[in-house]
Amino acid sequence: MSPTQWDFPVELCCRPMAFVTLTGLDVVYNAVHRAVWDAFCANRRADRVPISFKVLPGDHEYPKCRSKRTSYEWYIPKGVLKTGWMNKHLNLVPALVVVFYELDWDEPQWKEKQSECATRVEIVRQSLQGRNTKVAVVLIQKKTPLPPGEDVIASERAAALCNVCELSGKSLFVLPHTDHLVGYIIRLENAFYEHAQTYYYTEIRRVKSHKEFLNKTTHQLLFVRHQFKIAFFSELKQDTQNALKNYRIAYNLVHELRAHETNILEIKTMAGFINYKICRLCFQHNTPLDAIAQFRKHIDLCKKKIGSAELAFEHAAWMAKQFQAFGDLFDEAIKLGLTAIQTQNPGFYYQQAAYYAQERKQHAKALCNHDAAVMYPNPDPLETQSGVLDFYGQRPWRQGILSFDLSDPEKEKAGILAIQLKERSVVHSEIIIALLSNAVAQFKKYKCPRMKSHLMVQMGEEYYYAKDYTKALKLLDYVMCDYRSEAWWTLLTSILTTALKCSYLMAQLKDYITYSLELLGRASTLKDEQKSRIEKNLMNVLMNESPDPEPDCDVLAVKTAQKLWADRVSLAGSNVFQIGVQDFVPFVQCKAKFHAPSFHVDVPVEFDVFLKADCPHPIRFSKLCVSFNNQVYNQFCVLEEASKASEVLENLTQGKMCLVPGKTRKLSFKFVAKTEDVGKKIEITSVDLFLGSESGRCVVLSWQGGGGDAASSQEALQAARSFKRRPKLAEDEIHWDSVIIQASTMIISRVPNISVHLRHEPPALMNEMYCLVVTVQSHEKSPIRDVKLTAGLKPGQDANLTQKTHVTLHGAELCDESYPALLTDIPVGDLHPGEQLEKTVYVRCGTVGSRMFLVYVSYLINTTVEGKEIICKCHKDDTVTIETVFPFDVAVRFVSTKFEHLERVYADIPFLLMTDVLSASPWALTIVSSELQLAPSMTAMDHLESQIDKVVLQTGESASECFCLRCPSAGNIEGGVATGHYIISWKRASVVESIPAVSTVITLPHVIAENIPLHVNADLPSFGRVRESLPVRYHLQNKTDLVQDVEISVEPSDAFMFSGLKQIRLRILPGTKQEMLYNFYPLMAGYQQLPSLNINLLRFPNFTNQLLRRFIPTSIFVKPQGRLLEDTSIAAA
Amino acid sequence: MAVCIAVIAKENYPLYIRSTPTESELKFHYMVHTSLDVVDEKISAMGKALVDQRELYLGLLYPTEDYKVYGYVTNSKVKFVMVVDSSNTALRDNEIRSMFRKLHNSYTDVMCNPFYNPGDRIQSRAFDTMVTSMMIQVC
């Protein structure tokens, strides 16, 4: 029996197709026949009818049909289904035999050719004697046939040929050999298909007709057989619905058979076959749930039919095959478009098949383990005369025997022994691994990562049992991280245990050490005795010795491994193993912690390394190294102890190189940071722990950063959540969870021991030389040197402020824009302890607002840290906020000579410019001088001298000046006339004399200048007397280039009598003057209204009378009449 | 009754796992662990479909030949997994539901214990007793 005994036969697994035989084709030597055959074979797509073609010679011997049974009364079946039956109807007995014959309708020798064709048909019929196989004839012709009815000769000859060959008209075909051969072939195919279907239908009816002869008592097997045949013929007929229905009936009939230990295998075999057919057809009909339900029913019915206990492995093998076959069907259906889901996919069936394959292996190991003295039986009870079984599922040594009583117990025993000995040669692991691999592929596809990992573990274990330790180790190592990341420690421990065995059996040192480290760790769920054994082995390995074998290992493999380990001892290769800790959970935990997030450069940098061992027994380490991002510091952080080998076993629990399980070991380190590292971060890049020694073997556990392994982050998170009160430990003990990794620290400069003070009088006035006094006093115990001062605007503020702030050390000169905003590194020499120095800084602020002003003092000092003298650079800074305000406000007004407000001025007519300086400073201001700089378009009426020089203004006080100006005529200027600038030199009243004054330039506003065509002014005494003549002279000047017509009238006043022209019309020539003389005679004393002069310019109507009257006085003070004057008047009279 | 009962934390590590004392205890651990594939899939499907969050019972996760695995998830994403022998056909869906609710109530009592730190392995005598009662064979 072959190792593939449990495979379903090929004839069962293929899709049944109608079998049609083609004869009369010489495909080797005849090109036409070759073309015909190629047309049948090529391009058989799904749209073509399902036919299986075969070319056979005309005289081919088909299987003989047995004589028809007229009665089943005395017939006792020997089995359910013959092993050759399906193959016979698939490949041996055709449904149709087609005879190809070259014959044209216009053949000259028609009689002879017709007779030869009839002979060929008769030969075929003789070969098929007793069968219902149909026969057809295809005439290969050279000419295209004429339309039906037109070729009378063809009709006559066709009828004659059918008569001679005893064919019906439907069995004669014509195949023209033309360019459209494929089209004719396809039509032929469809015709053949109809014939085939008729044949299979006939066969179904023939089998059904036998049912009436059967009885339930003796023909139970025949019921199953006949039902199966009906279903199979229905499949061949491509009637899959009826096929499915009949297969279901057959399946139920199989399970109605009486089961016994002797025939249980045949029943299971047939049940498996029929179940396969049903499931396949269900998938084909796109009813996967029916397939699954049928399969579940099949398994439930058959799982308990174990059969002989001595052959229990057979049942397991059979069950595995059932699941595998269903998985294959499921997967094939998915490839054809079926959609599977996470909880129902082929992977589950492959998985279950693997489980039964494992069960098979276990049974085989228990049942087939015979002594070497047991010989294979001779003669071989598994051999048969024909080499194959007569019926599916029967034993070779008792074929056809249906009795439940064993007629020959000895032969039965020999048969069982032969099967058992054959089973021993089966490589079960290969079968299991293949099935698991299929399952892994499916679960990967349907997003079941944990199931995938689990099956990979099983694959690894199976490779282990198969002694392929390399592959086992590769698979197990691959999936470990999945269980670590989710903290399933029981599963991880199981995997690690198997991996440790593999690495031992292969003498893989690094893997062996790694797995030992983890199995001793806190993630491991092993018992202490197991951990003790592993720890002892690990110590042996580190001392360059061989470890003890792992329990339950294969004896032969152990011997091989022991030799490998002995070879490892004598190897001269490297014995140092670097193991990164971040990916697994070793038995040593590590946390590194700087004492503070930052250290001053003059204080030693201190940090602790905490180590905790989880192994059962104390363990020594030989070295501890801490690495930093700046490797210069590594040398200070090495803990190493050269101990003799004899001392290893002594004082295990003492010394700092020893780790006691469950206790936290604290190792402190200290070093002095370099001054160039001020402002930089010192980071721990790794912590390396050396186990073993250089003379033996050395394992370097390497933690990245400040420590932590695969489980540390979750544990730290859990500890942070915990609100448990930690148990009270001894004074020198440390609770592990309370330690938090601090893997980096910042080196900051030494604490300065100086005082820096700023003295100033805020607020600052804009553009003044503001004075700040910086006082630096040393409080150090030793001299400080190279003291430097940086003063000015603090960087990082508004860029506009930087451009408007200027700093100098010299107050005697005025800053301009070339002075910087920040003076850096001003050397001020050295300072002795207690010494104090002052430095005055002057700041000129060009804009108002708030400024941050920085004073920064740095110095060097020699100091001693840990007995080592270093040069420390210290610095201290102080900042103040300087508010800047305006010193004063300047208001400018234009008024007329009568002190009336002017919105515009008039050419050649004097006006007044008045300035008011209002102090806004909280300090007293001294106005050194003021100056009026006139624009060219303006002229002064008199000397322009400062009227407010040396004036001191207190807060809120105001100083005013008045200037008389005139604007010459300059044509018609749009937008006004520039007046000029007003410059004020000022400073604080309290500053020293050497400080220069500040000049503030105020641009005077523009003024609108207009030309007046007629200038009017008046000459009159400053006062008048009652009854005394008051002469008044009016001057009128024409300022235009045209003759001006002027209407002048005088309105009388009650206070005056006057003589002169009351109404006159004048004509004034260009550029000339006209005078008018009046005598006003006051009648009343007091401030009296003069008679008003009304002027009307006919050419300039827009110049109103009120405008022109503004330039002449409108009233005068009249003194009362004196006595002497009266006498004079009387005398004159 | 149940042959294995497990309580799984939100981060998918076991808070409690108890199975009948057989040699195949590891098999049950694997069974529970692999069932989390289906649990995670169902939880994410619930999130997408905006299913009523009061439905905590996940039903049959997947059947194996010998056992049936049922799931239950709380609002805080703690999962309960129960493994039942397939041959125990007397168990109905409603009984599984009531067992899960009983388990949930007992778990709530554990969480209410002020000395229990959430996220630690469950070590509760009352919880053990309740689990034991659900694992006793009725026959």
Side-chain angles (χ1 to χ4, degrees):
Chain A
M1 202 169 291
S2 65
T4 58
Q5 164 200 356
W6 306 104
D7 284 338
F8 287 112
V10 176
E11 59 268 22
L12 182 78
C13 296
C14 71
R15 177 187 175 186
M17 291 197 290
F19 179 41
V20 173
T21 300
L22 309 179
T23 64
L25 291 175
D26 185 2
V27 299
V28 177
Y29 297 108
N30 192 316
V32 172
H33 294 182
R34 180 79 223 180
V36 168
W37 175 236
D38 287 345
F40 275 111
C41 296
N43 293 326
R44 295 213 63 85
R45 295 186 301 270
D47 56 341
R48 293 175 74 161
V49 291
I51 294 182
S52 172
F53 289 107
K54 190 182 285 186
V55 172
L56 293 176
D59 54 356
H60 177 75
E61 285 291 335
Y62 297 98
K64 295 297 182 183
C65 180
R66 285 169 292 174
S67 59
K68 296 301 180 186
R69 192 176 303 278
T70 57
S71 170
Y72 283 92
E73 185 174 356
W74 303 109
Y75 175 75
I76 298 178
K78 294 179 179 296
V80 178
L81 187 67
K82 281 198 166 187
T83 54
W85 186 85
M86 284 189 282
N87 180 60
K88 182 172 74 173
H89 287 278
L90 286 167
N91 300 311
L92 300 180
V93 178
L96 172 71
V97 176
V98 180
V99 179
F100 284 82
Y101 192 69
E102 293 187 18
L103 180 59
D104 287 278
W105 300 125
D106 57 356
E107 175 66 38
Q109 302 174 354
W110 173 259
K111 288 292 185 180
E112 291 79 2
K113 297 291 271 184
Q114 178 177 272
S115 178
E116 183 182 353
C117 182
T119 302
R120 293 193 176 191
V121 169
E122 183 59 27
I123 290 171
V124 166
R125 284 214 166 99
Q126 287 295 324
S127 303
L128 295 168
Q129 192 173 13
R131 298 286 183 187
N132 293 322
T133 303
K134 297 183 176 304
V135 179
V137 171
V138 174
L139 300 180
I140 303 177
Q141 299 184 347
K142 300 186 181 66
K143 297 179 180 178
T144 304
L146 296 174
E150 290 191 17
D151 195 343
V152 179
I153 294 176
S155 299
E156 291 176 357
R157 290 187 169 180
L161 186 63
C162 287
N163 187 42
V164 171
C165 297
E166 300 177 18
L167 296 173
S168 71
K170 296 181 178 178
S171 299
L172 180 64
F173 304 96
V174 171
L175 178 64
H177 179 56
T178 62
D179 293 335
H180 306 288
L181 185 64
V182 173
Y184 286 109
I185 292 293
I186 289 176
R187 296 214 310 251
L188 276 180
E189 279 184 5
N190 285 277
F192 296 165
Y193 184 60
E194 288 179 15
H195 279 293
Q197 286 187 313
T198 304
Y199 165 79
Y200 290 124
Y201 175 74
T202 305
E203 290 295 288
I204 289 168
R205 289 184 59 84
R206 184 178 61 79
V207 174
K208 280 185 178 179
S209 68
H210 293 176
K211 276 193 168 183
E212 60 187 280
F213 304 116
L214 306 180
N215 66 82
K216 281 285 186 177
T217 308
T218 55
H219 298 141
Q220 266 200 331
L221 301 186
L222 286 183
F223 276 104
V224 177
R225 181 193 296 180
H226 288 169
Q227 202 67 45
F228 184 90
K229 285 185 175 182
I230 292 168
F232 194 79
F233 281 136
S234 298
E235 272 200 278
L236 285 165
K237 186 173 176 285
Q238 309 305 315
D239 186 358
T240 53
Q241 290 292 342
N242 267 318
L244 179 58
K245 184 180 71 173
N246 285 285
Y247 276 130
R248 289 193 188 279
I249 297 171
Y251 187 83
N252 292 331
L253 289 171
V254 163
H255 284 291
E256 289 175 13
L257 297 177
R258 276 188 61 196
H260 191 265
E261 196 171 284
T262 54
N263 74 337
I264 194 70
L265 181 60
E266 187 174 16
I267 292 175
K268 288 194 307 189
T269 302
M270 286 309 302
F273 286 6
I274 301 171
N275 170 75
Y276 183 88
K277 284 292 188 179
I278 295 172
C279 293
R280 186 197 185 103
L281 289 172
C282 286
F283 280 123
Q284 200 171 309
H285 292 166
N286 210 24
T287 56
L289 296 184
D290 290 344
I292 292 166
Q294 162 63 32
F295 186 72
R296 294 243 59 87
K297 174 183 171 184
H298 175 56
I299 293 298
D300 289 343
L301 288 170
C302 294
K303 65 174 14 173
K304 297 297 194 295
K305 294 179 159 65
I306 299 176
S308 171
E310 295 171 294
L311 298 173
F313 56 87
E314 277 194 335
H315 179 66
W318 181 85
M319 289 289 282
K321 196 60 200 181
Q322 303 304 298
F323 278 96
Q324 181 184 359
F326 188 82
D328 290 338
L329 283 177
F330 203 163
D331 195 34
E332 183 185 339
I334 289 164
K335 289 190 174 77
L336 294 175
L338 179 68
T339 301
I341 59 174
Q342 190 192 42
T343 52
Q344 188 60 260
N345 66 73
F348 286 106
Y349 300 95
Y350 290 128
Q351 179 188 13
Q352 196 62 44
Y355 290 166
Y356 277 111
Q358 288 171 341
E359 190 178 313
R360 171 187 182 180
K361 186 178 76 168
Q362 288 160 19
H363 285 306
K365 186 178 178 183
L367 297 171
C368 306
N369 197 17
H370 292 291
D371 293 333
V374 177
M375 303 299 295
Y376 192 85
N378 188 25
D380 188 355
L382 305 183
E383 284 186 357
T384 59
Q385 289 182 358
S386 59
V388 297
L389 289 172
D390 292 339
F391 290 89
Y392 289 118
Q394 289 195 348
R395 302 296 185 184
W397 62 89
R398 46 179 169 84
Q399 291 193 89
I401 297 174
L402 300 182
S403 172
F404 292 160
D405 298 325
L406 293 176
S407 58
D408 192 344
E410 284 302 316
K411 188 177 283 188
E412 185 76 12
K413 187 180 296 183
I416 290 173
L417 178 63
I419 293 174
Q420 289 174 345
L421 294 177
K422 286 257 185 175
E423 179 71 9
R424 214 164 51 171
S425 64
V426 173
V427 186
H428 298 99
S429 292
E430 279 184 10
I431 298 169
I432 296 165
I433 288 163
L435 291 167
L436 289 169
S437 187
N438 281 344
V440 165
Q442 296 293 332
F443 285 121
K444 180 176 182 178
K445 187 174 169 185
Y446 295 101
K447 296 182 179 59
C448 298
R450 295 177 186 86
M451 184 68 86
K452 172 170 163 271
S453 296
H454 175 36
L455 294 172
M456 290 178 81
V457 169
Q458 292 186 310
M459 284 176 73
E461 289 172 348
E462 201 56 45
Y463 275 121
Y464 167 77
Y465 294 131
K467 301 186 179 58
D468 192 342
Y469 303 118
T470 304
K471 285 185 180 169
L473 198 57
K474 186 189 289 185
L475 278 163
L476 296 172
D477 196 69
Y478 178 82
V479 297
M480 280 176 195
C481 57
D482 297 335
Y483 298 97
R484 281 194 200 99
S485 61
E486 286 189 326
W488 279 77
W489 305 133
T490 52
L491 306 182
L492 178 67
T493 301
S494 168
I495 297 164
L496 283 167
T497 303
T498 308
L500 186 69
K501 292 175 182 175
C502 292
S503 57
Y504 169 79
L505 293 171
M506 293 193 296
Q508 292 277 352
L509 267 162
K510 182 166 184 179
D511 291 327
Y512 184 84
I513 291 166
T514 305
Y515 302 139
S516 298
L517 293 169
E518 191 155 20
L519 281 169
L520 292 170
R522 64 197 187 280
S524 171
T525 58
L526 291 179
K527 292 180 168 37
D528 272 357
E529 57 179 298
Q530 293 262 39
K531 289 190 175 182
S532 296
R533 181 182 57 78
I534 292 173
E535 186 173 1
K536 178 169 166 284
N537 278 333
L538 182 62
M539 293 301 107
N540 285 340
V541 169
L542 293 182
M543 290 190 288
N544 210 10
E545 298 176 7
S546 299
D548 290 339
E550 293 296 309
D552 302 325
C553 283
D554 182 73
V555 177
L556 293 178
V558 165
K559 290 180 180 177
T560 306
Q562 284 169 336
K563 187 172 184 302
L564 289 172
W565 279 101
D567 292 342
R568 296 277 190 268
V569 171
S570 58
L571 283 178
S574 171
N575 275 331
V576 179
F577 301 94
Q578 187 90 18
I579 296 175
V581 164
Q582 61 277 355
D583 290 332
F584 76 110
V585 191
F587 68 90
V588 184
Q589 299 184 62
C590 171
K591 291 179 180 177
K593 183 175 187 291
F594 280 106
H595 285 194
S598 62
F599 286 91
H600 295 288
V601 70
D602 61 327
V603 176
V605 177
E606 291 182 283
F607 70 97
D608 299 326
V609 175
F610 298 88
L611 298 171
K612 180 169 178 277
D614 302 306
C615 52
H617 299 295
I619 190 167
R620 294 184 65 86
F621 60 94
S622 56
K623 192 176 178 183
L624 178 75
C625 300
V626 183
S627 301
F628 298 92
N629 54 340
N630 189 343
Q631 299 177 22
V632 173
Y633 300 119
N634 292 1
Q635 54 180 319
F636 304 112
C637 304
V638 176
L639 183 63
E640 193 168 13
E641 193 174 274
S643 63
K644 300 178 181 178
S646 58
E647 297 175 2
V648 170
L649 299 178
E650 300 173 11
N651 300 325
L652 269 181
T653 59
Q654 299 176 12
K656 52 185 177 179
M657 310 298 289
C658 187
L659 298 175
V660 179
K663 293 203 171 182
T664 303
R665 172 75 64 191
K666 176 180 168 183
L667 305 167
S668 299
F669 295 91
K670 182 192 293 185
F671 59 88
V672 177
K674 293 184 173 303
T675 52
E676 53 261 34
D677 283 335
V678 170
K680 295 179 183 176
K681 185 179 282 188
I682 296 182
E683 291 182 78
I684 297 174
T685 54
S686 70
V687 180
D688 294 341
L689 185 73
F690 289 66
L691 304 174
S693 61
E694 296 287 340
S695 58
R697 291 197 181 101
C698 186
V699 176
V700 182
L701 293 182
S702 184
W703 286 268
Q704 287 187 356
D709 51 41
S712 295
S713 59
Q714 176 63 32
E715 287 169 353
L717 179 66
Q718 190 64 20
R721 289 174 180 169
S722 177
F723 40 79
K724 281 182 177 177
R725 184 186 301 271
R726 297 200 173 92
K728 191 125 186 175
L729 298 178
E731 186 173 348
D732 59 342
E733 291 193 8
I734 302 158
H735 199 280
W736 182 255
D737 286 331
S738 64
V739 179
I740 298 174
I741 292 171
Q742 174 82 37
S744 66
T745 188
M746 181 78 70
I747 303 300
I748 58 180
S749 60
R750 181 178 175 275
V751 178
N753 225 353
I754 59 172
S755 61
V756 178
H757 295 294
L758 288 175
R759 191 172 73 248
H760 63 120
E761 295 177 346
L765 304 176
M766 194 173 78
N767 284 322
E768 77 159 330
M769 294 291 281
Y770 188 65
C771 179
L772 296 103
V773 180
V774 180
T775 304
V776 179
Q777 184 174 23
S778 171
H779 301 296
E780 299 279 4
K781 298 178 181 177
S782 58
I784 63 176
R785 65 176 194 273
D786 202 12
V787 182
K788 293 182 178 177
L789 177 71
T790 297
L793 191 67
K794 188 173 186 180
Q797 297 182 77
D798 194 339
N800 292 326
L801 290 181
T802 306
Q803 297 170 8
K804 291 296 182 180
T805 306
H806 312 285
V807 183
T808 183
L809 298 177
H810 312 290
E813 58 195 49
L814 197 63
C815 294
D816 58 20
E817 293 187 348
S818 65
Y819 284 74
L822 183 72
L823 297 177
T824 57
D825 292 336
I826 305 164
V828 294
D830 299 342
L831 284 180
H832 292 283
E835 189 177 345
Q836 179 174 322
L837 66 87
E838 284 192 358
K839 204 80 176 177
T840 305
V841 180
Y842 297 94
V843 185
R844 185 178 181 211
C845 305
T847 56
V848 299
S850 181
R851 286 168 171 82
M852 294 291 295
F853 198 78
L854 168 73
V855 174
Y856 174 97
V857 180
S858 67
Y859 61 93
L860 300 178
I861 185 170
N862 288 22
T863 187
T864 303
V865 185
E866 297 293 308
K868 179 183 177 183
E869 186 168 296
I870 62 171
I871 300 173
C872 291
K873 180 180 180 182
C874 300
H875 67 273
K876 184 163 189 182
D877 55 83
D878 195 8
T879 56
V880 293
T881 302
I882 299 178
E883 295 288 343
T884 305
V885 299
F886 284 111
F888 48 72
D889 291 321
V890 176
V892 178
R893 294 181 292 134
F894 292 99
V895 298
S896 67
T897 50
K898 297 192 295 182
F899 291 92
E900 297 170 339
H901 176 69
L902 287 178
E903 292 185 357
R904 62 193 69 202
V905 299
Y906 303 99
D908 291 320
I909 296 177
F911 61 92
L912 301 178
L913 171 72
M914 303 192 68
T915 60
D916 298 315
V917 179
L918 176 66
S919 174
S921 164
W923 322 109
L925 295 178
T926 301
I927 299 181
V928 176
S929 68
S930 67
E931 181 187 355
L932 185 66
Q933 294 181 351
L934 291 175
S937 56
M938 288 284 177
T939 57
M941 300 299 294
D942 53 11
H943 294 294
L944 298 175
E945 293 179 357
S946 174
Q947 302 158 29
I948 58 174
D949 52 317
K950 307 295 188 284
V951 169
V952 175
L953 293 177
Q954 303 294 336
T955 305
E957 290 187 344
S958 177
S960 300
E961 286 187 289
C962 183
F963 303 93
C964 188
L965 307 177
R966 183 171 67 86
C967 180
S969 174
N972 194 6
I973 300 175
E974 295 290 341
V977 177
T979 307
H981 295 89
Y982 186 48
I983 302 169
I984 301 174
S985 296
W986 62 273
K987 62 182 179 179
R988 288 196 192 193
S990 59
V991 300
V992 296
E993 289 298 325
S994 62
I995 302 293
V998 180
S999 291
T1000 302
V1001 177
I1002 296 102
T1003 302
L1004 297 171
H1006 282 39
V1007 67
I1008 301 173
E1010 284 192 6
N1011 290 313
I1012 299 182
L1014 191 67
H1015 282 194
V1016 179
N1017 55 58
D1019 288 336
L1020 72 164
S1022 59
F1023 64 92
R1025 289 183 184 272
V1026 175
R1027 295 176 184 265
E1028 191 170 336
S1029 177
L1030 184 68
V1032 175
R1033 189 187 301 272
Y1034 289 111
H1035 300 273
L1036 288 84
Q1037 182 178 4
N1038 182 3
K1039 288 289 188 175
T1040 68
D1041 297 332
L1042 304 171
V1043 178
Q1044 297 291 338
D1045 289 324
V1046 183
E1047 289 182 352
I1048 301 174
S1049 63
V1050 179
E1051 293 181 5
S1053 171
D1054 294 340
F1056 291 87
M1057 295 190 304
F1058 72 93
S1059 66
L1061 300 174
K1062 285 192 175 183
Q1063 186 167 352
I1064 190 171
R1065 184 182 183 117
L1066 299 176
R1067 181 167 291 171
I1068 305 173
L1069 297 178
T1072 62
K1073 281 187 174 181
Q1074 186 74 33
E1075 291 184 359
M1076 299 176 62
L1077 190 61
Y1078 290 86
N1079 278 318
F1080 293 155
Y1081 191 79
L1083 300 178
M1084 288 178 276
Y1087 203 73
Q1088 300 296 338
Q1089 193 79 20
L1090 287 170
S1092 63
L1093 184 67
N1094 294 324
I1095 303 172
N1096 186 21
L1097 295 176
L1098 300 178
R1099 199 179 288 272
F1100 296 93
N1102 56 328
F1103 278 92
T1104 62
N1105 186 38
Q1106 288 77 14
L1107 174 64
L1108 293 171
R1109 284 166 57 187
R1110 293 179 66 182
F1111 302 108
I1112 56 179
T1114 57
S1115 61
I1116 192 168
F1117 186 78
V1118 178
K1119 291 184 177 181
Q1121 185 176 1
R1123 186 174 295 173
L1124 292 179
L1125 293 178
E1126 287 180 350
D1127 292 342
T1128 305
S1129 298
I1130 294 168
Chain B
M1 302 296 276
V3 294
C4 179
I5 289 174
V7 181
I8 310 296
K10 177 182 180 180
E11 295 86 4
N12 284 333
Y13 64 89
L15 293 172
Y16 182 93
I17 184 161
R18 171 102 172 267
S19 59
T20 51
T22 61
E23 294 179 359
S24 56
E25 183 175 336
L26 198 68
K27 178 177 71 175
F28 291 122
H29 283 227
Y30 272 118
M31 202 174 293
V32 170
H33 184 244
T34 52
S35 72
L36 296 178
D37 285 336
V38 184
V39 170
D40 285 350
E41 184 77 12
K42 283 178 181 264
I43 289 173
S44 64
M46 282 166 59
K48 290 172 186 174
L50 297 176
V51 176
D52 187 359
Q53 291 296 315
R54 286 173 294 177
E55 179 56 79
L56 308 175
Y57 180 57
L58 298 176
L60 181 66
L61 298 177
Y62 63 89
T64 64
E65 274 305 296
D66 303 318
Y67 303 100
K68 294 178 181 174
V69 186
Y70 296 93
Y72 185 96
V73 59
T74 68
N75 288 323
S76 52
K77 297 294 186 290
V78 172
K79 296 104 180 172
F80 301 142
V81 177
M82 197 177 295
V83 182
V84 180
D85 203 308
S86 287
S87 59
N88 193 347
T89 54
L91 273 179
R92 294 286 181 264
D93 213 47
N94 282 340
E95 295 181 30
I96 301 290
R97 277 176 179 267
S98 65
M99 287 166 73
F100 273 127
R101 274 196 294 269
K102 192 176 171 187
L103 195 64
H104 194 179
N105 287 335
S106 192
Y107 173 75
T108 305
D109 292 340
V110 170
M111 291 296 289
C112 290
N113 184 345
F115 298 103
Y116 172 74
N117 186 37
D120 282 354
R121 310 294 161 117
I122 294 172
Q123 294 173 353
S124 166
R125 194 178 301 112
F127 193 83
D128 280 342
T129 305
M130 186 275 307
V131 168
T132 302
S133 69
M134 288 203 287
M135 299 180 80
I136 294 174
Q137 298 294 330
V138 287
C139 57

